[in-house]
Every structure is written in C-alpha cells, then in structure tokens.
Amino acid sequence: DGLPPRGQGRAFSRAMAQRLLSPPPEEMRELTCPVCPGFPGLVLRGAETVACPKCGRRFPREEGIPLLYWPTEETDLDQVTDMVKGFYEENPFPGYEKVDTVQRLIEKAQTGIFANLLDDQIPSHAAVLEVGCGTGQLSNFLAVRGRRVFGADMCLNSLRLGQQFRLRNGLDTVRFVQMNLFRPVFPDRTFDFVLCNGVLHHTNDPFAGFRSISRLVRPGGYIVIGLYNRFGRIWTDVRRAVFRRTGDRFLFLDPYLARTDVDESKKRIWFADQYLNPHESKHTIDEVLRWFAQTDFEFVNSLPNAVLFSVAPPYEALFEKRRPGVRLEHWLSQVRLALAGGREGGFFVMIGRKNA
C-alpha cells in the first residue's frame, strides 16, 4: 500500500527528510561559486557545508539551503540590496497561511490566472529558475508535476518557509538557494525558463539585474519578468501619500484591502509589500523592449497586451509570439492600466525568447 512498515514511521520520515535535505552530488555541481563566476561545481563538505573547489571558500547550508549570497562590492547596489533584504527578512512575501499541503497550494494557485498559465504551458521536462522566489510558493507549485525547479532569493526567512513546505510534502524536484541576483550561482545558459516577478524594481539598477539573470537562459529559452508600470502605479503612489498623511486611515481605497473575503494577515502582508517597501522603481513597455534588444532577446508576449486593440485568445498562449506594437499602442495599453485603478499593484509582465 506504499506505507512504511508498522512501527517504522518515524524512521521512514527521518530518512525522507534526510533525502530531501541532502541533494545528490550532481545537484551541487549545478551551482557555482558566487566569488568565482563561471567556475561550475560546488562540493558537499559534510551535512552543513558546501565548498568551491577553485577558491576553497566554504558556504554554510541551513535546513538544506545553500547560503550563497555574496555582495557585489558596488556601494550603491549593495546599500539598496541590503535595505530591501532587511525589509523582506521581516516581511516574508507571500505568506503561507492556510497553505500546508500540495492540494491547498494548487487550490490557491488556481485562483491566480498567471500561475495556472505557467503550469499549463511550461513543459514538464523543463529546467526552471525563479529569481526572487520569496517564500517559494510558485517554485513549489511548478515542481508538483516533476519539473526541475530552483527557487533563488536573498532572504533566508522567506526561503525557509518554502523549504519547510517542500519537506512536508515530499517535493524532491525543487531546490532553494540563497543568492544575490547580481552574482548568480548558476552557469550561463542553464535554464529553459527564468522567471523574475516583482523583483527588479526593488533593485538600484534594474537593467543590470536583468542583464545578470538573462545570461542564465539557454538559446531558445524564455525569460519572464514582472515589473511595476509607470502608468499603472500612479494610483498606488496616490494612496501611499494619503495613508502617510492620515496615519494609514482610508485603507478601503486599496481594492485588495477593501475585500471582505481576505483575512487580516494577508492584508498586512499586502500593505507592507505595496506601501512600506524602502525602494521601488517604475518601468514601461518600451524600456523593457530596449532591454530585450540589448541582451539578444526577441519580444514574445506581454500582459496586459502591448497592442491595446488586439484580440487575445480565450486561452492566453504565453509563449506564442505576438506583435510587439508601436509606441502609441504601448502608451494606450499602459493608460488602460492607470484607468483600471492600479489593480494588482500596477503590475505588467514581459516575455522574451533568447535568440539561438
């Protein structure tokens, strides 16, 4: 019946946990030293340490998570990164309230269209990296079907939540690693899909961050980035000013905070992420198209659509190439984001394909 022999349940659980906490040597070889970029292969040194065979540096592992975060030694970048890192260490996002099993994770993901589209359209054999995975809910969700997934984030408290969920539910094709996106710990051209949603706009140099992680995409692979939009974020900025001047009164002005079907803990997490973050920037469709052009990516798709009056299919094909549109169409599409009141935080997604 697939159950451990009677009386051996605890030993079985310990063995399962040890297997999940201790990745096989080949998975350590997929990681690179953050100090020796381009030199692949870390080696296990006991249960709690990994080491670089080139420079000899050792890095700890906590709860099975390699701690490979390393500063850039560029003052402006590191100051903002440290500030945002400290914020999310205190405010892990998103929370895991009422999400304690794979089935509940699936149920939660099914309420979000984008996560379901990714799950439906990323092949089960694909290698996926989520940069800035936070608490790892999307990484864990995408691993349910057996994809090889890495979730990377700079905040250990967030990663612990993702790792604990992974261990409880036996998801052995997903791994979590602490990483600075400006110092990736993977070889170039490793992944079929690199996802980075809600992250680059919290860095001091979003394009440098994009360029850094774009190198990890294989030729023919895809990068998916989500950013605050300059137009769509207008109402969030207005609400932030009102909240500050009134001592956080009038919270009903935020559509999410006004909902009666959302518990208070989720509202607190949303409020902190949207209105208290110490650093953010805003971006446009044209700007990201320039990023693609400068890093050898072709435009594939965007959400919302870069061409305002085009008709999207009932089932949005995320990775099917669409027309990028022109500046006027981009402007109209982004004005629509503003007119929608900044729903979802004034967020937009751009998808590019790495040229072969």
Side-chain angles (χ1 to χ4, degrees):
D1 56 8
L3 297 175
R6 187 179 299 277
Q8 296 184 21
R10 290 183 180 177
F12 177 83
S13 298
R14 285 195 299 269
M16 173 65 78
Q18 184 61 37
R19 180 173 69 84
L20 292 172
L21 281 167
S22 300
E26 61 269 19
E27 294 199 10
M28 285 296 102
R29 288 199 295 270
E30 292 181 349
L31 298 174
T32 66
C33 175
V35 189
C36 305
F39 188 82
L42 297 180
V43 293
L44 291 169
R45 290 285 186 260
E48 298 181 353
T49 307
V50 295
C52 173
K54 181 179 180 182
C55 69
R57 284 182 174 84
R58 295 193 174 206
F59 304 93
R61 293 171 68 221
E62 289 192 19
E63 301 181 28
I65 303 169
L67 307 188
L68 303 179
Y69 179 89
W70 198 264
T72 64
E73 300 178 0
E74 294 182 28
T75 303
D76 291 342
L77 284 180
D78 287 340
Q79 284 180 344
V80 171
T81 300
D82 289 345
M83 185 166 54
V84 174
K85 183 175 182 293
F87 174 82
Y88 280 113
E89 292 287 9
E90 294 184 9
N91 302 277
F93 183 84
Y96 266 95
E97 293 81 4
K98 300 180 181 178
V99 182
D100 55 0
T101 66
V102 168
Q103 183 57 40
R104 289 188 178 180
L105 181 66
I106 292 172
E107 290 170 359
K108 178 178 180 179
Q110 286 175 342
T111 65
I113 296 173
F114 186 59
N116 275 309
L117 290 174
L118 289 174
D119 187 46
D120 287 341
Q121 298 175 36
I122 294 178
S124 59
H125 62 271
V128 181
L129 171 65
E130 185 185 7
V131 179
C133 67
T135 58
Q137 290 189 25
L138 180 59
S139 292
N140 278 321
F141 175 62
L142 293 177
V144 170
R145 294 194 186 185
R147 300 179 184 91
R148 184 169 64 87
V149 181
F150 272 96
D153 201 274
M154 61 182 175
C155 299
L156 183 56
N157 283 341
S158 296
L159 291 169
R160 284 192 181 110
L161 293 175
Q163 179 79 328
Q164 290 162 9
F165 181 91
R166 167 188 170 254
L167 293 174
R168 283 197 306 270
N169 293 281
L171 298 174
D172 58 1
T173 63
V174 58
R175 290 286 183 269
F176 293 103
V177 59
Q178 188 187 37
M179 180 188 88
N180 182 346
L181 66 83
F182 291 102
R183 282 186 176 266
V185 295
F186 301 94
D188 291 353
R189 301 180 295 278
T190 294
F191 295 97
D192 303 300
F193 294 83
V194 171
L195 317 177
C196 186
N197 286 311
V199 177
L200 295 176
H201 51 232
H202 291 311
T203 69
N204 195 51
D205 191 337
F207 175 60
F210 173 82
R211 188 172 52 205
S212 174
I213 63 175
S214 72
R215 297 196 301 266
L216 306 179
V217 183
R218 291 172 176 161
Y222 296 87
I223 192 163
V224 180
I225 60 169
L227 295 163
Y228 289 149
N229 185 267
R230 186 176 300 165
F231 294 75
R233 199 70 175 159
I234 289 173
W235 289 109
T236 301
D237 291 338
V238 170
R239 288 190 292 264
R240 182 187 292 112
V242 171
F243 296 158
R244 286 177 177 173
R245 288 180 176 273
T246 63
D248 294 339
R249 298 175 186 173
F250 307 110
L251 295 182
F252 62 86
L253 294 174
D254 182 294
Y256 186 84
L257 297 176
R259 287 172 55 178
T260 58
D261 60 331
V262 177
D263 63 50
E264 290 302 316
S265 61
K266 290 182 179 178
K267 289 182 179 180
R268 284 194 299 271
I269 292 171
W270 172 263
F271 180 82
D273 183 64
Q274 292 293 305
Y275 298 104
L276 301 180
N277 201 292
H279 179 87
E280 70 174 52
S281 55
K282 292 100 171 174
H283 305 273
T284 65
I285 293 172
D286 292 292
E287 180 183 4
V288 178
L289 287 175
R290 290 194 297 272
W291 293 4
F292 285 174
Q294 293 175 52
T295 52
D296 204 25
F297 281 81
E298 64 172 346
F299 170 82
V300 173
N301 205 346
S302 66
L303 300 173
N305 200 299
V307 181
L308 180 62
F309 298 110
S310 65
V311 179
Y315 177 81
E316 180 71 51
L318 292 179
F319 304 105
E320 182 176 304
K321 185 170 175 56
R322 306 187 72 172
R323 186 168 70 85
V326 297
R327 284 180 177 271
L328 177 60
E329 291 172 312
H330 302 162
W331 184 83
L332 291 171
S333 179
Q334 292 169 121
V335 166
R336 183 174 62 177
L337 270 178
L339 294 177
R343 286 181 298 183
E344 298 299 324
F347 203 69
F348 75 117
V349 174
M350 298 281 284
I351 302 172
R353 181 178 182 272
K354 186 73 168 286
N355 289 320

